[in-house]
């Protein structure tokens, strides 16, 4: 995620040993830094176009990488954050390469999720944590648990079914608020988060009431977090069954 500091030694080694490197990065400065590591870095960012389906762009990325693989070259794709999180092309190109008999694998990386936990001081093991892509939450019947953290991705694009826009407006986010208001009060705190990608940056953290989310400035890169709105409720029936198991275990230990 952050320039230089979040690159593992093994990932660096793959970049340096590749014949060609394809880059889908978050910032032109990061791309310039990558070019210092390898003489043949090819940017994928230029394939994005306003009004062009992102899926068409992602398929082009796959074909670009596979063309070099089929030519017998060692190919490395470099993507910001974790290459397998909210990234269709890395998964697909590995699938295609393996289906054609080539060796291919993915190296894990530090994602926006990892930075979010650190910057916001959230431990997902304390109350639990759900993650949804915002448009998917609108379009499908999903069950929200307001006793845990709720993390919503790509809220700036919520409601875009064309995959051709880079943002949607307040009216689309209002639909999301209408949905969330079934489980959260409108004055519930919402955290808008964006992790730092350059060492000189600080993470962007803005706190607003849920009702104010439609008018808040948002990009596709920002994530929305809703802290728990209700307390955990004991499952008394299951606790009784556990008590019975514990008593039996004590009896068995004495036998």
């Amino acid at each position: 995620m952050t320039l230089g500091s979040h690159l593992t030694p093994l990932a660096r080694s793959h970049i340096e040993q590749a014949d060609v490197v394809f880059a889908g990065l978050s910032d032109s400065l990061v791309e310039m830094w990558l070019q210092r590591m390898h003489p043949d870095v090819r940017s994928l960012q230029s394939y994005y176009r306003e009004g062009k389906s992102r899926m068409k762009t992602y398929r082009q990325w796959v074909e670009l990488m596979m063309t070099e693989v089929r030519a017998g070259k060692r190919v490395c794709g470099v993507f910001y954050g974790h290459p397998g999180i909210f990234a269709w092309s890395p998964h697909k190109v590995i699938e295609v390469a393996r289906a054609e008999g080539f060796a291919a694998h993915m190296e894990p990386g530090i994602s926006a999720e990892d930075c979010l936990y650190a910057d916001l001081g959230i431990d997902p093991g304390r109350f639990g944590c759900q993650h949804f892509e915002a448009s998917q939450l609108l379009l499908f019947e999903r069950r929200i648990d307001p006793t845990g953290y709720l993390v919503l991705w790509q809220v700036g694009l919520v409601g875009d079914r064309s995959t051709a826009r880079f943002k949607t407006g307040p009216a689309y986010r209002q639909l999301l608020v209408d949905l969330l208001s079934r489980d959260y009060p409108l004055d519930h705190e919402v955290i808008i988060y964006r992790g730092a990608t350059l060492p000189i940056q600080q993470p962007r953290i803005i706190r607003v009431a849920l009702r104010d989310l439609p008018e808040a400035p948002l990009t596709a890169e920002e994530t929305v977090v809703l802290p728990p709105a209700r307390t955990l409720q004991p499952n008394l029936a299951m606790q009784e069954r556990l008590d019975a198991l514990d008593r039996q275990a004590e009896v068995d230990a004495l036998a």
Side-chain angles (χ1 to χ4, degrees), residues 210-230:
L210 177 59
R211 64 165 56 87
D212 298 326
L213 184 62
E215 299 299 331
L218 272 171
T219 66
E221 292 80 16
E222 285 162 323
T223 304
V224 170
V225 181
L226 281 75
R230 303 177 192 170

Side-chain angles (χ1 to χ4, degrees), residues 119-247:
D119 291 333
L120 300 184
I122 292 175
D123 181 353
R126 186 179 181 192
F127 300 115
C129 190
Q130 289 181 297
H131 291 255
F132 293 111
E133 197 276 333
S135 291
Q136 187 185 93
L137 188 63
L138 279 186
L139 296 171
F140 297 93
E141 295 286 346
R142 307 303 301 265
R143 182 178 297 177
I144 295 174
D145 179 4
T147 65
Y149 288 96
L150 177 64
V151 180
L152 300 177
W153 299 87
Q154 298 183 329
V155 173
L157 281 170
V158 67
D160 175 33
R161 292 176 291 177
S162 70
T163 71
R165 288 183 281 184
F166 291 101
K167 63 179 179 179
T168 53
Y172 289 84
R173 293 199 290 275
Q174 184 61 53
L175 293 180
L176 178 64
V177 170
D178 292 345
L179 177 70
L180 294 172
S181 65
R182 301 175 187 173
D183 296 288
Y184 299 89
L186 287 173
D187 61 355
H188 189 69
E189 180 182 84
V190 170
I191 305 169
I192 300 171
Y193 170 80
R194 181 174 182 175
T197 57
L198 299 176
I200 60 173
Q201 293 177 336
Q202 294 295 318
R204 182 174 186 260
I205 301 172
I206 298 174
R207 301 173 190 271
V208 301
L210 177 59
R211 64 165 56 87
D212 298 326
L213 184 62
E215 299 299 331
L218 272 171
T219 66
E221 292 80 16
E222 285 162 323
T223 304
V224 170
V225 181
L226 281 75
R230 303 177 192 170
T231 58
L232 293 168
Q233 299 300 306
N235 185 333
L236 299 179
M238 190 58 68
Q239 290 189 23
E240 289 179 1
R241 294 178 65 182
L242 287 169
D243 289 341
L245 287 175
D246 290 341
R247 288 193 296 270

Side-chain angles (χ1 to χ4, degrees), residues 17-31:
Q17 294 178 23
D19 294 318
V20 57
V21 176
F22 289 94
L25 301 173
S26 59
D27 192 285
S28 59
L29 291 177
V30 183
E31 197 169 291

